[in-house]
Amino acid sequence: MTERAHDPDLVGRTETLFALSNGWLGLRGAHEEGRPAHEPGMFIAGLHETWPIEYAEDAYGLAKTGQTIVAAPDASLLKLYVDDDPLYLPGAQLLDYERALDLRAGTLVRTLTWELRDGKQVRVRSWRLVSLQHRHVAAFRYEVTLLNADAPVVLSSALLNRQDATPRDVAAAAADPRTTKRLGHRVFEPAHHAAAGTRVLLGYRLARSGLTLGCGVEHTVASPDPYQLEVSASADRGNLTLTVDATAGTTLVVDKFAAYHTSEQVPAAELVVRAARTLDRVARHGWDVLADAQRARLDELWDRADVTVALAAAQPADAAPRPQLSGPEPEPKAWQPAELAQAIRWNVFQVLQATAQTGHGGVPAKGLTGSGYEGHYFWDSEVYVNPFLTYCAPRAARNLLAFRYRMLDKARDRARELGEQGALFPWRTITGEEASAYYQAGTAQYHINADVAHALAKYVRATGDDGLLVEFGAEILLETARLWVSLGFYGRDGAFHLHAVTGPDEYTAVVNDNTFTNLMARRNLRYAADVLAWLERSHPQRFAQLAAATGLEPGEQARWRCAADAMFVPFDAALGIHPQDAHFLDLEPWDFDAVPADRYPLLLHYHPLVIYRSQVCKQADVLLAMLLAGDEFTLECKRRNVDYYDPITTGDSSLSAPVQAIAAAEVGYDDLAQRHFAAAALTDLADVHGNAVDGVHVASAGGVWMTLVYGFAGLRDHDGTLSLTPQLPATWQRLTFTLAVRGLLLRVAVSHDAVDLAVDASVGRASAAAAQQVEVVVAGERMVVPAGTQRSVSLRASAA
Amino acid sequence: MTERAHDPDLVGRTETLFALSNGWLGLRGAHEEGRPAHEPGMFIAGLHETWPIEYAEDAYGLAKTGQTIVAAPDASLLKLYVDDDPLYLPGAQLLDYERALDLRAGTLVRTLTWELRDGKQVRVRSWRLVSLQHRHVAAFRYEVTLLNADAPVVLSSALLNRQDATPRDVAAAAADPRTTKRLGHRVFEPAHHAAAGTRVLLGYRLARSGLTLGCGVEHTVASPDPYQLEVSASADRGNLTLTVDATAGTTLVVDKFAAYHTSEQVPAAELVVRAARTLDRVARHGWDVLADAQRARLDELWDRADVTVALAAAQPADAAPRPQLSGPEPEPKAWQPAELAQAIRWNVFQVLQATAQTGHGGVPAKGLTGSGYEGHYFWDSEVYVNPFLTYCAPRAARNLLAFRYRMLDKARDRARELGEQGALFPWRTITGEEASAYYQAGTAQYHINADVAHALAKYVRATGDDGLLVEFGAEILLETARLWVSLGFYGRDGAFHLHAVTGPDEYTAVVNDNTFTNLMARRNLRYAADVLAWLERSHPQRFAQLAAATGLEPGEQARWRCAADAMFVPFDAALGIHPQDAHFLDLEPWDFDAVPADRYPLLLHYHPLVIYRSQVCKQADVLLAMLLAGDEFTLECKRRNVDYYDPITTGDSSLSAPVQAIAAAEVGYDDLAQRHFAAAALTDLADVHGNAVDGVHVASAGGVWMTLVYGFAGLRDHDGTLSLTPQLPATWQRLTFTLAVRGLLLRVAVSHDAVDLAVDASVGRASAAAAQQVEVVVAGERMVVPAGTQRSVSLRASAA
C-alpha cells in the first residue's frame, strides 16, 4: 500500500494504515520526524494503566476499575536537520515522496527528496519493522544522501515517554464512547535511565497498575564522513545526536534498534538489563538479518493466509435476485483487480500482524495500532479473528484460547458478583476484570461466554487438538455452561429463558431471549455436556480431578442438556423470521426516511432510549446467529431473515458488514453481498466509519477473510464437518485460499464452474498429529482428498 | 417529640428528626455546640452547586450537569465555655437533659444541667426556630444560669462556612446511590465579610453555579453581669465572643438572629445589604415577636392539617381477611395513643415545614433537612405532597405547580434532546435540567409528565382555581400531552404503545407498556384535550394566543384523544391482574426464601441486571395506579393486584409503604394496611430504611397523611367528585381531619358507625371564590353540606 504525496490532513489515518505490529509490540505509522502527528507512539500488549471508575449514580456490581492501554516510550523518533533546518514535511519542498507498506517484507518504507531553500537536495530513505520473529524488537534504518552540495547534517534520535508528555484533549474525547479514556495522572514513574556510547536505556513502573517496563535503543552508524555522537538520558527521554559534516554524494546510514520488556512483577531495573541484552544481540546481527527474517516469516504466513481473487474480464449483467431495501445501504463498488488484491491483502496483513505473537495478551479491538476502545479485548478475537487463525495460524488460535483460560478465575468471581454460578467472561477487559462502565452494552452481553465456547469448539474440531480440551477447554466449557443454567429459568410456558441480556446488536439492550444468545448458549450447553462425557470416557482421571476441583455434581450435565433442549428460540410464524429477541417485533419501526445521512452512526446523535425503542440495528445479530449456528436455520428462513434485518441494520458497527455480506451471499443476494464486502474491505482504507485514526478495525479485517471464505466460498464447519457451497460473485472469476485442517494444508480454488481442492504432501509443525486426508462436502458432495493429491468438483455437473 | 438523654450514636439521626425548616431555609438538628455532629448545617431552597457529570462510557443525550444542594453558612453555632471548659455533650456530666421539637410552637427546645468536675452546676436552655413567616430568618435563644457558684462564662457565636471547611468522606458516600455527591472543589468564593458591633456579615458567589449569597447574624445580649464583646470576620467565618464574669443565680440570655438572601443575578454585596436590613428588623422586634408569630402561623396550619386518631379501648380480635404473604412483610405495630398521635403529627409537621414557604424552589426529597439525593426535586412533590397541600394548604400547592411551570422551557429542550415533541420534565433536578446520571431509573421515568398533569388536575378540581389553567396549566397540559403522542406509536395490534420507559418501580427498568405510565398518560392526554376544549370555549383569546405560541395544529387534540382511546393497558385475564408492564409476568419469580434480611434493600446488594430480570418490586407500581387512576379498576381486580404485588414488593423505597397501605385498606386487608401504615409513619422515627441521617423522607411523610385520608377514611377525588369510603382499622375508634374544598373547610370525623361532616361557616382567604357548599359521596350516598352546617352519615345504616 503506497502513499504518493504527503497530506497533513491524513496524518491521523495514515498513522493507522501504516502501523506495524507483531501482536505484542505495535508502532503507529507516524513519521520519524515526530511532527506532524495525530497520536504517534508505540503500544505493548497488556501494558495498561488502571483508574477508578466513578459513577455519578453508582449501583452494586458495576465495574470498578478502568483499564486503559498506554503509549510505551516511542523509539521511532529520528529527526533530521540539514544546515540546521529541520525536515518538517508540511513545510518542506519535496521533489518526490513515497511511503509504502510492504506486505511481503513486513516493512514500512519511505523515500523522499527534500530541496532546501538554497537549492540543496537531500535524499532521505527510511525503513522500519516490528519484528514478527522477536516480539521485543523494533528496528529503524534511516538513510541520508546529500545530492548536490555539502552540508552539516544532524540526526537526533530519541526514545521518548509520550504518555506523560503530551497534553491530551479531554473534552473532545469524552463525546465519542469509542475513543479511549484520557488519564489525568502521571502514568510512567521513572525507575531508571542511562545513556552510554550509542545506547539509551529507560525503566519505569506504572503508577496504578504497577506494571514495569524496561526499554532501550541502540544505534549503528555508517558514514563515509567523520561524525560526532552525543548521548544523554533523563527521566522521560533518551537522546542520541549525530553530527556529520556531510559531503555531497555520500550516504549516511543509521540503524536504530529498540527493545522492550514488561512484567507484572520483575523490577524495572531488571527489565532494563533484559532490554540491554536484547539490544546487544540484534545490534550484533544488524538490520539485514532482522529484515531477512521478517520476510521469511511473512513468506510462511502468507503461504497459508493469502487469498486471491481473479475478476471476470467482462462484467456480466446483474441477474441475481436482489431484495427491496428501505434502510441504509452500502455503496456499490467496482473493483480494479490490483485494488481488490491490495484491499484483501492489507486486511489479512492486519490480522497477521495483530496475532503473530499471541499468548502474552489478547487481541485488542484495534490490535496494537491505536488506543481506540482503550486497548480492550472484546469478543472480536473469538468470533472475528479466531476463524482465520484456526484455519491459517492454529497455534495463534490456541494461544488466544489459552489466554482466555487465564481469565477464568476472574470470570468465576465476576459470575458471583452478578449473582450467578459458573463463570462470566468480561465484555471488555485487559486484565480479565470487567471494565465496561456501561453495563447495558457491556456486562449484559452474556453471549461472550458462548462466543468463547464457540471459538474453542471451532478450533478443536478444525485442528483435532483434543489435548486442549483436556488441558483447559473442558474447564472453560463446564463453567460457561453453568452460567447459562444459573442465569436462565423455566418460564410459565415450560421453555428455558434467558432474560435481561444484550445480544450482539447494541441498538437494543437488556432484552429477553435474544435469539443469538439463546442459540449460542444452547450450543455452549450441549458442547460442554458432550465434551465432559468424552472426557469422562477417554480421560477418567482428568475428569475426576476436574469434577473435584469445580465441585461438579452428579446430574449437572443432564441439567445442561435439559436447559438446552428446552431453550426458547423466538420465531414469528407469520413472518417466517426469528425476532431478534422476544419482543423485537413489537418495537416501533425506525423512520429511516426521516434520518439524514449525517445522523449516523445513530449512537452519536440519539439518546439510547430513542434507539432502544425502535426496530433498528447497529449490527447483524440474527444474521450472525445464521452464520455461527447456521445449521439451525432453513435456507428459506435465512432468506426471510436477510430480507427483514438487512434493511434495518445501519452497520454503525464495523462488525456488521462482513456478517451481512456472508448472509447475503448465502441466500444468493450477490449485489448486496458485494456491497457489504466492499464496506468491510474498505473499513479502514476508505475510513468508512470515520474513526480509522483510532486504529485498525481488526475484527473487520478478520471479517474480510471470513467474507471471502465463509461468504463467497461458502465454507461451513458446523460440528467439524467442512463444507463448501460457493456463492462466487458474478463479476469474479476465481477465488483461492488455503485452510489448515488437522495438520494438513488444503488449497482451495473456487470458480463458477468448479471447486479445485489440493492437499499439500508436506505437513506443517503439527505433523505428528496430522491427518492423512481431508474430507470436505462440496456443493453437497462428500470429497476425500488424501495428502499430496488434488480433486476437482464440477459445480455445473452437481447443479445439473 | 422529645429526646430524654444524649446518645452520641444517634447524633446523625437526631439531626434529621429535630431539623427545622420553612421550605426555603432549613436547619439540621445539630447541637449549638457544634460537636458531636454528623452532617450539621443549613440549606436554602435552590442553593446548589453544579459539576460536570463524567461518564466512563458516554452516550448522546445523557445528563451533563450535576446539581447538588450545598450547605449554607451555619448560623446555629453557640459554643459555651465555663471556667474555660467547653460544653461537650458526650463528655459532660449531665444532671438532666431534654430536647423537644415543639410541633405547636415550631421550635426546638433543649434544657440541660451540666455539672463540671469541681461541682459547679450550669443550667443551659436553648430555643431555635426557622421562621415560617419570614423565609429569610432563623433565630436562636441561648440561656445560661450558674446554679451554685460564680464562674467566668464565654459564649462563642459563629457564622461558619462548613461547605468548604469540612473534609467529606468520598469513598463511603460513593457506595450508596441515595446519598449526595461529594464535590471536590471550593464552592463558596468569598465576596464580602464584615464584623461590627454585635453583627457579622458574609457574602459569597458559588464557583460553578454562579449563585450569590449574603448572610449575617445579629446578637442581643441580656446579662445582669458585666460582659465584653469581641466580633470578627474572615472569608469563611464570622465570630462574636461574649465574656461574662457570671455570678451564681443570674441568667445570661443571648438572642441570635440569622438572615439569608440568595440570588441568581444580584451581586453578593447587595445581598449582604439585604441581610443587614433583615437583621435590623428582626433584632428590633426581638425573639418573642418571632416566637409568637411562629406559634400563630402554626395554629393556622394545624387547624387545617391536624389529623387525630382515637384508638379503641379494647383491641378486637383480628377478623379481617388477610392475604397469604410470601414476600417481605412489615412488622405489626401495637400503637399507644400518644405515640400514634405523635407519629402522625411529626409526619404532618414535616410536610408543613417543607412547604410553608414554597414558590422559590421545589420540595426536595429530603425537604431542607439533609442533603440526601443531592437536594433534588423528584415526582415526590406532585404525587406525595401535592394531595396534602391541595386539601390543607392550597396556596402552597399552587406555588409548587407554578414552580414546575417555570421549568417548562427546559422541559421542552429536554424533549427535543430525547427526540420527542412537547416537553419532558426532568426526573431529578434543581435547576430544571435533567440531573439523573443513570437514565434507566431517571430520564426513562417519563411518567413524571403525567404526574405533573395529575397534580395539576387534582388541584384545579379540589380548589376550583380555573385561573391556574388559564395562566399556565393549559400550557403544561398541552406540552405534556404532546410528549406522549410523540413518544408512543400504534403497534401491529392497533393499540397505542409506550415503549422503553421506566415506571415508578425501579426494580424493573426500560420496559414496554408500564401499566402505571400508560394509564397516567391516558389521563394526561384526555385532561389536556378537555382543558384545551374548555379554554377555547371560555377564554378564546387566551386559547388563540396559546395555540399560536405553541404552534398547536388543528387536530392535535383529536390525536391525543385517539392515542388515549387506543392506549394499551396490560391485563392478564387468567390471573385477573394488571401486569406491571407488558412482559412483567414473563420474568423469573424472585426467590424470597433465599434472600436473607440483611440483603435488603436489594439495590445495595445485587447488580441491576439481577434485579431487573426478576419479579420483584422496589415499590408499589400497579398499586399506585390503583390509587391515582382508581376509577379504572374494579374492586375485585384491585384485590387480585394486591394479592399479587404486595408479597413481591420489598418496600425498599420509602414511597411504597403508604401506597401499599392504601391499597390494602381499600380491599379490606386491615392488618396489612396497618402494618404498611406503621412502616410509613415510622420511616424516619424508627429509621426503617437506615438512612434517616440523610434527611426526612418528605414524600413518606406526605404519604402518612394520604394513608390516613385516602386509606383509612377512603377519600377519592377522581374527576373532582369527592367520596369517602372509610376502611377504619378495627383497632381504631375515630379518625378526624380537615379538607379545604373550593375555599371551604370540610371537617371530617370517621368512626365505625358514622361519618360526621361539618363545613365551617367562615371561609378562608379564597373567600371571594369560595363555594357555598361541599358535596361528598359517603359510602355511596351523595351528601351536600352547606357552609356553616354539619351532617352525619350512618355507616351501619348504609351497610344494611
Side-chain angles (χ1 to χ4, degrees):
Chain A
M1 204 186 57
T2 304
E3 179 185 51
R4 303 204 186 276
H6 175 71
D7 181 348
D9 291 341
L10 293 180
V11 157
R13 228 162 100 184
T14 54
E15 284 178 14
T16 293
L17 297 180
F18 289 125
L20 294 173
S21 164
N22 61 17
W24 186 80
L25 182 63
L27 168 60
R28 298 267 295 167
H31 293 281
E32 284 82 353
E33 293 77 21
R35 289 193 311 136
H38 173 77
E39 194 191 6
M42 303 184 70
F43 299 102
I44 296 174
L47 186 72
H48 72 281
E49 181 61 320
T50 60
W51 44 280
I53 303 178
E54 281 180 30
Y55 300 90
E57 292 183 49
D58 203 356
Y60 179 88
L62 302 190
K64 288 172 186 58
T65 305
Q67 304 156 30
T68 299
I69 196 168
V70 293
D74 185 357
S76 69
L77 290 164
L78 283 155
K79 298 191 186 185
L80 172 66
Y81 302 81
V82 177
D83 275 339
D84 290 335
D85 279 344
L87 171 57
Y88 174 63
L89 295 182
Q93 177 160 354
L94 300 177
L95 302 183
D96 54 64
Y97 173 94
E98 185 180 283
R99 186 160 57 149
L101 180 63
D102 187 330
L103 303 177
R104 296 203 65 124
T107 51
L108 180 67
V109 188
R110 193 188 68 183
T111 309
L112 61 87
T113 307
W114 169 31
E115 186 174 85
L116 280 77
R117 293 284 160 89
D118 60 0
K120 287 181 186 164
Q121 294 178 353
V122 189
R123 160 75 45 86
V124 180
R125 297 170 71 195
S126 65
W127 293 257
R128 60 168 72 172
L129 61 83
V130 174
S131 174
L132 297 166
Q133 290 281 58
H134 309 290
R135 68 178 165 110
H136 301 283
V137 175
F140 308 84
R141 164 164 284 190
Y142 202 85
E143 258 189 30
V144 181
T145 309
L146 295 186
L147 297 179
N148 57 358
D150 299 352
V153 168
V154 174
L155 199 60
S156 171
S157 167
L159 176 62
L160 173 67
N161 171 20
R162 290 182 179 279
Q163 177 69 36
D164 297 301
T166 313
R168 289 159 174 238
D169 187 353
V170 174
D176 187 342
R178 302 168 302 179
T179 55
T180 195
K181 166 80 180 177
R182 306 307 181 181
L183 297 167
H185 67 280
R186 183 178 180 91
V187 174
F188 286 92
E189 293 177 347
H192 182 89
H193 65 265
T198 51
R199 182 174 294 185
V200 168
L201 295 168
L202 300 176
Y204 299 96
R205 182 183 178 281
L206 275 64
R208 287 187 175 147
S209 67
L211 296 174
T212 47
L213 168 72
C215 57
V217 289
E218 175 63 287
H219 303 77
T220 60
V221 179
S223 167
D225 301 310
Y227 60 89
Q228 293 84 46
L229 287 177
E230 272 182 40
V231 69
S232 65
S234 60
D236 279 329
R237 69 184 297 152
N239 260 93
L240 175 134
T241 306
L242 167 70
T243 307
V244 189
D245 287 315
T247 52
T250 66
T251 296
L252 166 71
V253 183
V254 174
D255 292 338
K256 179 178 184 181
F257 305 99
Y260 294 82
H261 287 260
T262 61
S263 174
E264 294 178 11
Q265 295 165 339
V266 178
E270 162 67 15
L271 297 179
V272 168
V273 172
R274 293 186 193 178
R277 285 200 295 262
T278 302
L279 291 175
D280 288 343
R281 190 185 71 244
V282 293
R284 194 170 62 239
H285 289 165
W287 168 269
D288 289 341
V289 169
L290 273 179
D292 291 347
Q294 184 84 338
R295 183 178 290 270
R297 179 76 186 112
L298 271 168
D299 284 345
E300 282 175 35
L301 291 172
W302 279 119
D303 178 52
R304 296 167 167 227
D306 198 23
V307 179
T308 72
V309 172
L311 293 177
Q315 308 276 321
D318 184 355
R322 185 156 166 224
Q324 289 297 315
L325 295 182
S326 65
E329 193 174 357
E331 293 297 309
K333 168 79 184 165
W335 292 102
Q336 295 303 312
E339 186 191 16
L340 176 57
Q342 189 188 62
I344 292 173
R345 287 195 174 119
W346 184 87
N347 278 286
V348 171
F349 182 78
Q350 294 309 322
V351 189
L352 286 177
Q353 68 170 357
T355 58
Q357 290 281 349
T358 50
H360 310 282
V363 178
K366 304 291 184 185
L368 296 167
T369 67
S371 64
Y373 291 107
E374 304 187 56
H376 287 177
Y377 320 134
F378 294 79
W379 65 320
D380 304 37
S381 73
E382 275 80 8
V383 172
Y384 290 85
V385 174
N386 174 281
F388 168 82
L389 295 181
T390 291
Y391 289 111
C392 298
R395 180 171 296 271
R398 191 185 217 277
N399 285 341
L400 286 177
L401 292 166
F403 177 70
R404 268 292 178 203
Y405 176 65
R406 295 204 290 278
M407 294 183 184
L408 186 60
D409 275 340
K410 284 181 178 160
R412 287 186 175 105
D413 294 343
R414 183 63 177 157
R416 235 53 83 242
E417 265 189 305
L418 271 287
E420 308 298 349
Q421 302 299 306
L424 176 60
F425 284 106
W427 177 245
R428 55 189 299 175
T429 190
I430 295 176
T431 64
E433 278 174 39
E434 176 65 86
S436 170
Y438 183 67
Y439 72 79
Q440 292 82 356
T443 297
Q445 298 205 38
Y446 288 83
H447 65 82
I448 181 74
N449 259 26
D451 305 332
V452 172
H454 167 82
L456 199 156
K458 182 184 290 282
Y459 167 82
V460 168
R461 286 163 174 164
T463 61
D465 181 4
D466 293 340
L468 179 140
L469 295 176
V470 180
E471 201 180 313
F472 62 78
E475 188 174 345
I476 289 180
L477 293 167
L478 184 157
E479 295 289 18
T480 50
R482 270 181 173 166
L483 183 282
W484 294 119
V485 169
S486 166
L487 177 70
F489 74 106
Y490 292 89
R492 295 187 295 172
D493 57 358
F496 194 76
H497 295 273
L498 299 172
H499 278 184
V501 306
T502 298
D505 172 36
E506 296 177 356
Y507 280 176
T508 53
V510 191
V511 301
N512 293 343
D513 291 318
N514 170 256
T515 295
F516 176 91
T517 305
N518 288 22
L519 281 174
M520 293 293 287
R522 182 161 77 184
R523 295 168 90 88
N524 190 164
L525 288 163
R526 287 178 174 159
Y527 187 59
D530 290 348
V531 165
L532 283 198
W534 167 83
L535 191 70
E536 190 170 14
R537 283 196 314 274
S538 60
H539 299 74
Q541 277 190 320
R542 168 64 182 140
F543 176 84
Q545 184 263 329
L546 178 63
T550 59
L552 186 73
E553 291 175 7
E556 266 201 79
Q557 299 101 300
R559 286 206 295 281
W560 304 346
R561 289 194 195 277
C562 205
D565 292 344
M567 186 70 72
F568 179 75
V569 178
F571 184 73
D572 186 282
L575 294 175
I577 67 164
H578 290 273
Q580 187 169 300
D581 59 70
H583 309 300
F584 186 81
L585 299 183
D586 297 333
L587 300 184
E588 185 172 12
W590 182 258
D591 188 353
F592 282 96
D593 295 336
V595 176
D598 63 0
R599 302 269 276 174
Y600 293 89
L602 301 181
L603 65 94
L604 297 185
H605 300 96
Y606 293 90
H607 192 284
L609 285 167
V610 177
I611 297 172
Y612 292 168
R613 70 167 65 91
S614 297
Q615 288 195 47
V616 61
C617 303
K618 184 180 179 190
Q619 64 209 87
D621 192 293
V622 171
L623 303 193
L624 181 59
M626 282 166 35
L627 174 60
L628 306 191
D631 50 352
E632 312 200 34
F633 299 77
T634 66
L635 189 61
E636 171 62 16
C637 175
K638 285 177 178 170
R639 192 187 59 71
R640 287 179 188 268
N641 281 332
V642 171
D643 287 347
Y644 194 87
Y645 289 105
D646 195 85
I648 62 172
T649 302
T650 61
D652 285 350
S653 164
S654 67
L655 303 182
S656 196
V659 179
Q660 290 180 268
I662 294 167
E666 182 169 15
V667 303
Y669 293 159
D670 183 14
D671 176 68
L672 184 64
Q674 288 200 62
R675 287 170 186 245
H676 285 307
F677 169 72
L682 298 172
T683 288
D684 288 308
L685 293 171
D687 201 9
V688 169
H689 295 273
N691 61 352
V693 294
D694 297 329
V696 169
H697 292 78
V698 173
S700 171
V704 169
W705 184 88
M706 290 169 70
T707 304
L708 294 163
V709 173
Y710 284 86
F712 298 136
L715 173 70
R716 292 298 181 274
D717 49 7
H718 306 301
D719 297 325
T721 306
L722 287 192
S723 67
L724 293 164
T725 310
Q727 298 287 348
L728 200 64
T731 55
W732 294 16
Q733 206 171 50
R734 187 176 169 87
L735 166 68
T736 75
F737 57 91
T738 300
L739 302 176
V741 182
R742 296 184 167 253
L744 296 172
L745 291 186
L746 172 68
R747 312 285 186 180
V748 181
V750 173
S751 65
H752 289 286
D753 295 333
V755 174
D756 298 328
L757 304 170
V759 176
D760 283 9
S762 62
V763 292
R765 294 193 203 176
S767 53
Q772 299 302 310
Q773 59 192 34
V774 175
E775 290 185 29
V776 198
V777 177
V778 178
E781 185 180 348
R782 175 170 299 271
M783 306 295 299
V784 176
V785 192
T789 70
Q790 55 189 51
R791 294 280 185 280
S792 183
V793 185
S794 168
L795 294 176
R796 299 214 180 276
S798 68
Chain B
M1 202 186 56
T2 305
E3 178 185 51
R4 302 203 185 276
H6 175 72
D7 181 349
D9 291 341
L10 293 179
V11 158
R13 227 162 101 184
T14 54
E15 283 178 14
T16 292
L17 298 180
F18 290 125
L20 294 173
S21 165
N22 61 18
W24 186 82
L25 183 63
L27 169 61
R28 299 264 296 167
H31 293 281
E32 285 81 354
E33 293 78 22
R35 291 192 310 135
H38 172 77
E39 194 191 7
M42 303 184 70
F43 299 103
I44 296 175
L47 187 72
H48 72 281
E49 180 63 319
T50 60
W51 45 279
I53 303 178
E54 282 179 30
Y55 300 90
E57 293 183 50
D58 203 356
Y60 179 88
L62 301 190
K64 288 172 187 58
T65 306
Q67 304 156 29
T68 298
I69 195 168
V70 292
D74 186 357
S76 69
L77 289 163
L78 283 156
K79 298 190 186 184
L80 173 65
Y81 302 81
V82 177
D83 275 341
D84 289 334
D85 280 342
L87 172 56
Y88 175 63
L89 295 182
Q93 176 159 355
L94 300 178
L95 302 183
D96 54 64
Y97 173 95
E98 186 179 282
R99 186 159 58 148
L101 180 63
D102 187 329
L103 303 176
R104 297 204 65 124
T107 50
L108 180 66
V109 189
R110 193 189 67 183
T111 308
L112 62 85
T113 306
W114 169 30
E115 185 173 86
L116 281 74
R117 293 285 159 86
D118 60 2
K120 286 181 185 164
Q121 294 178 353
V122 189
R123 160 76 43 86
V124 181
R125 298 170 69 196
S126 65
W127 294 257
R128 60 168 71 172
L129 62 83
V130 175
S131 175
L132 298 167
Q133 291 280 58
H134 309 291
R135 69 177 164 112
H136 301 282
V137 176
F140 307 84
R141 166 163 284 189
Y142 203 86
E143 259 188 30
V144 182
T145 309
L146 296 184
L147 296 179
N148 58 359
D150 299 352
V153 168
V154 174
L155 200 58
S156 172
S157 168
L159 176 62
L160 173 66
N161 171 20
R162 290 182 180 279
Q163 177 70 34
D164 297 301
T166 314
R168 289 162 174 236
D169 187 351
V170 174
D176 186 343
R178 303 168 301 179
T179 55
T180 195
K181 166 81 180 178
R182 305 308 181 180
L183 297 166
H185 67 280
R186 182 176 181 93
V187 174
F188 286 92
E189 292 178 346
H192 182 90
H193 63 265
T198 51
R199 182 175 294 186
V200 168
L201 295 168
L202 300 176
Y204 298 96
R205 182 183 177 282
L206 274 65
R208 288 187 175 147
S209 68
L211 297 173
T212 47
L213 168 72
C215 57
V217 289
E218 176 62 288
H219 304 77
T220 61
V221 179
S223 168
D225 300 310
Y227 61 89
Q228 292 84 45
L229 287 176
E230 273 182 38
V231 69
S232 65
S234 60
D236 280 329
R237 68 184 299 152
N239 260 92
L240 175 135
T241 307
L242 168 71
T243 307
V244 189
D245 287 314
T247 51
T250 65
T251 296
L252 166 71
V253 182
V254 174
D255 291 339
K256 178 178 184 181
F257 305 98
Y260 294 83
H261 287 259
T262 62
S263 175
E264 294 178 11
Q265 295 164 338
V266 179
E270 163 67 16
L271 298 179
V272 168
V273 172
R274 294 186 194 178
R277 285 200 295 262
T278 302
L279 291 175
D280 289 345
R281 190 186 70 244
V282 292
R284 194 169 64 239
H285 290 164
W287 168 269
D288 289 341
V289 169
L290 272 180
D292 290 348
Q294 184 85 338
R295 182 178 291 269
R297 180 76 186 112
L298 272 168
D299 284 345
E300 284 175 33
L301 292 171
W302 280 120
D303 178 51
R304 293 164 169 232
D306 198 22
V307 179
T308 70
V309 172
L311 293 177
Q315 307 277 323
D318 184 356
R322 183 154 171 230
Q324 288 298 315
L325 295 182
S326 65
E329 195 175 357
E331 293 296 309
K333 167 82 183 165
W335 293 101
Q336 295 304 312
E339 185 191 17
L340 177 56
Q342 188 187 62
I344 292 172
R345 287 195 174 118
W346 184 87
N347 279 287
V348 171
F349 182 78
Q350 294 309 321
V351 189
L352 286 176
Q353 68 169 0
T355 59
Q357 290 282 348
T358 51
H360 309 282
V363 178
K366 304 291 185 186
L368 296 166
T369 66
S371 64
Y373 291 107
E374 303 186 57
H376 287 176
Y377 319 135
F378 294 78
W379 66 320
D380 304 37
S381 72
E382 275 80 9
V383 171
Y384 290 83
V385 173
N386 174 281
F388 168 82
L389 294 181
T390 291
Y391 289 111
C392 297
R395 178 171 297 269
R398 191 186 216 279
N399 284 342
L400 286 177
L401 292 166
F403 177 70
R404 268 291 178 203
Y405 176 66
R406 294 204 291 279
M407 294 184 185
L408 186 59
D409 275 341
K410 285 181 177 161
R412 287 187 175 105
D413 294 342
R414 183 62 178 157
R416 234 54 82 241
E417 265 189 306
L418 271 287
E420 308 297 350
Q421 303 300 305
L424 176 60
F425 284 105
W427 177 245
R428 55 189 299 175
T429 190
I430 295 176
T431 65
E433 279 174 39
E434 176 66 86
S436 170
Y438 184 68
Y439 72 79
Q440 292 82 356
T443 297
Q445 297 205 36
Y446 287 84
H447 66 83
I448 180 75
N449 258 25
D451 305 333
V452 172
H454 168 82
L456 200 156
K458 183 184 288 282
Y459 167 83
V460 169
R461 285 161 174 166
T463 61
D465 181 3
D466 292 339
L468 178 140
L469 295 175
V470 179
E471 201 179 313
F472 62 79
E475 189 174 345
I476 289 179
L477 293 167
L478 184 159
E479 296 289 18
T480 50
R482 270 183 171 164
L483 183 281
W484 295 120
V485 169
S486 166
L487 176 70
F489 73 106
Y490 292 90
R492 295 187 295 171
D493 57 357
F496 194 76
H497 295 273
L498 299 171
H499 278 183
V501 306
T502 299
D505 171 37
E506 297 177 356
Y507 280 176
T508 53
V510 191
V511 299
N512 293 343
D513 291 316
N514 171 257
T515 295
F516 175 90
T517 304
N518 288 21
L519 281 173
M520 295 292 287
R522 181 160 79 184
R523 296 168 89 89
N524 190 164
L525 287 163
R526 287 178 174 158
Y527 187 58
D530 290 349
V531 165
L532 283 198
W534 166 83
L535 191 70
E536 190 171 14
R537 282 197 313 274
S538 60
H539 298 75
Q541 278 190 318
R542 168 63 182 140
F543 176 83
Q545 184 264 330
L546 178 63
T550 59
L552 186 73
E553 290 175 7
E556 266 202 76
Q557 300 100 300
R559 287 205 295 281
W560 304 345
R561 289 195 196 279
C562 204
D565 291 345
M567 186 70 72
F568 179 76
V569 178
F571 184 73
D572 186 284
L575 295 174
I577 67 163
H578 290 272
Q580 187 169 298
D581 59 69
H583 309 300
F584 185 80
L585 299 184
D586 297 333
L587 300 183
E588 185 172 11
W590 182 257
D591 188 354
F592 283 95
D593 295 336
V595 176
D598 64 1
R599 301 269 275 174
Y600 293 90
L602 300 181
L603 66 96
L604 296 185
H605 300 95
Y606 293 90
H607 191 284
L609 285 167
V610 177
I611 296 172
Y612 293 168
R613 70 167 64 92
S614 297
Q615 287 195 48
V616 61
C617 303
K618 184 181 179 190
Q619 64 210 87
D621 192 293
V622 171
L623 302 193
L624 182 59
M626 282 165 35
L627 174 61
L628 306 192
D631 50 351
E632 312 200 34
F633 299 76
T634 65
L635 189 61
E636 171 62 15
C637 175
K638 286 177 177 169
R639 192 187 59 70
R640 287 179 187 267
N641 281 331
V642 171
D643 287 348
Y644 195 87
Y645 288 105
D646 196 86
I648 63 172
T649 302
T650 61
D652 285 350
S653 164
S654 68
L655 303 182
S656 194
V659 180
Q660 290 180 267
I662 294 167
E666 183 169 14
V667 302
Y669 292 158
D670 183 14
D671 175 69
L672 184 65
Q674 287 200 63
R675 286 170 187 245
H676 285 307
F677 169 73
L682 297 173
T683 288
D684 289 307
L685 293 170
D687 200 9
V688 168
H689 295 273
N691 60 353
V693 295
D694 297 328
V696 169
H697 292 78
V698 173
S700 171
V704 169
W705 183 89
M706 288 169 69
T707 304
L708 294 163
V709 173
Y710 284 87
F712 298 136
L715 173 70
R716 291 296 181 275
D717 48 8
H718 304 302
D719 297 325
T721 306
L722 286 191
S723 69
L724 293 164
T725 311
Q727 299 286 350
L728 200 64
T731 55
W732 293 17
Q733 205 170 52
R734 187 176 168 85
L735 167 68
T736 75
F737 57 91
T738 299
L739 302 175
V741 182
R742 296 185 166 253
L744 296 173
L745 291 186
L746 172 67
R747 312 285 186 180
V748 181
V750 173
S751 66
H752 289 285
D753 295 332
V755 174
D756 299 328
L757 306 169
V759 175
D760 283 10
S762 62
V763 291
R765 295 194 202 174
S767 53
Q772 299 303 310
Q773 60 192 33
V774 176
E775 289 184 32
V776 198
V777 178
V778 179
E781 187 178 347
R782 176 169 299 272
M783 305 296 299
V784 176
V785 192
T789 70
Q790 56 190 53
R791 295 281 185 277
S792 184
V793 185
S794 169
L795 294 177
R796 298 214 182 277
S798 68

